[in-house]
Amino acid sequence: SVAAARAFTAEIVTFVREKNTELGGEDLGWFLNLCQGDESPEDVFRANLPRLRKIKAEYDGKKLWSKGFTIDPDFSA
C-alpha cells in the first residue's frame, strides 16, 4: 500500500540522517529523491535555501516552475 511505502521510506530517511549525523557530526537534511512532499523547503535545502531563493528570483521570479518544493524567490539584493 502507499501508506506502507511512505512509512518505509520515512524510516530509511530517518536512519540515514541519524547515521550521517553520527558519523559526520552534521545532519545533512533530506535527500530530495526520498522526500514525501510534506517537508518544508527549509528542511530539504537547509543552508542552501537563501542562495536558491536568489537564483529563483533571477531565473524564475514569476514561479513558472512551482511543482514539488516551491522555493519563494528572494528579490532583495
Side-chain angles (χ1 to χ4, degrees):
S1 81
V2 172
R6 287 177 61 91
F8 176 74
T9 302
E11 287 179 32
I12 296 297
V13 168
T14 299
F15 174 78
V16 170
R17 288 180 73 182
E18 288 172 354
K19 269 303 180 193
N20 279 339
T21 302
E22 177 186 320
L23 296 173
E26 178 182 6
D27 180 6
L28 300 176
W30 289 87
F31 292 99
L32 194 57
N33 59 338
L34 294 177
C35 290
Q36 302 293 314
D38 55 356
E39 301 84 1
S40 71
E42 290 79 12
D43 287 339
V44 174
F45 299 111
R46 308 196 41 90
N48 294 317
L49 188 58
R51 185 174 58 87
L52 291 171
R53 284 191 167 137
K54 291 194 181 302
I55 292 169
K56 180 79 169 185
E58 184 176 347
Y59 292 101
D60 186 30
K62 294 181 181 179
K63 292 170 60 172
L64 178 65
W65 290 284
S66 60
K67 301 261 186 214
F69 293 100
T70 303
I71 297 173
D72 292 321
D74 178 1
F75 293 105
S76 67

